[in-house]
Amino acid sequence: QVQFVESGGGLVQPGGSLRLSCAASRVIFSMYTMGWYRQAPGKQRELVASITGGGSTTYGDSVKGRFTISRDNAKNTVYLQMNSLRPEDTAVYYCNTFPTARVNWGQGTQVTVSS
């Protein structure tokens, strides 16, 4: 069964950095555009960033210039480097294929930005 496992979240102060990882199992990973999504309490899940199999990227307006998405197809892993974190970045972060989420959502990884 295909699944994604997110990791790397935690508690960080405003202005800090975190690097999230998403490992894919049993899937031809390089074929799919991958996305990092997030869901804050009381809000809908939103796309944060996406990356094609060839490495082309897109970012949500709120994270442009602060977050960087990357992938290692040989390791079936996609990353999200998050810098200059803000309290409004607090959310559970998930990965999945984009634009259609083809895999059941995983547990995600909690990111909390607070002083």
Side-chain angles (χ1 to χ4, degrees):
Q1 183 177 356
V2 176
Q3 65 179 40
F4 298 122
V5 179
E6 302 93 347
S7 62
L11 173 63
V12 63
Q13 292 186 343
S17 298
L18 284 173
R19 189 192 194 206
L20 306 183
S21 298
C22 167
S25 65
R26 300 184 63 183
V27 66
I28 306 175
F29 183 73
S30 62
M31 291 177 57
Y32 295 101
T33 295
M34 292 295 299
W36 276 102
Y37 303 78
R38 67 185 181 188
Q39 187 167 21
K43 295 187 177 181
Q44 289 190 331
R45 186 177 285 135
E46 64 174 353
L47 178 72
V48 174
S50 68
I51 185 166
T52 67
S56 296
T57 59
T58 64
Y59 296 92
D61 288 342
S62 63
V63 306
K64 282 180 181 176
R66 300 189 298 123
F67 290 10
T68 302
I69 189 171
S70 61
R71 67 192 293 163
D72 185 336
N73 290 335
K75 295 182 178 179
N76 283 2
T77 302
V78 62
Y79 304 97
L80 186 68
Q81 177 67 44
M82 305 187 296
N83 298 328
S84 302
L85 282 161
R86 304 167 180 170
E88 54 264 38
D89 295 318
T90 295
V92 179
Y93 285 71
Y94 304 87
C95 66
N96 212 316
T97 55
F98 175 81
T100 301
R102 297 173 180 268
V103 178
N104 291 335
W105 294 98
Q107 297 288 330
T109 186
Q110 175 71 48
V111 172
T112 302
V113 185
S114 175
S115 55

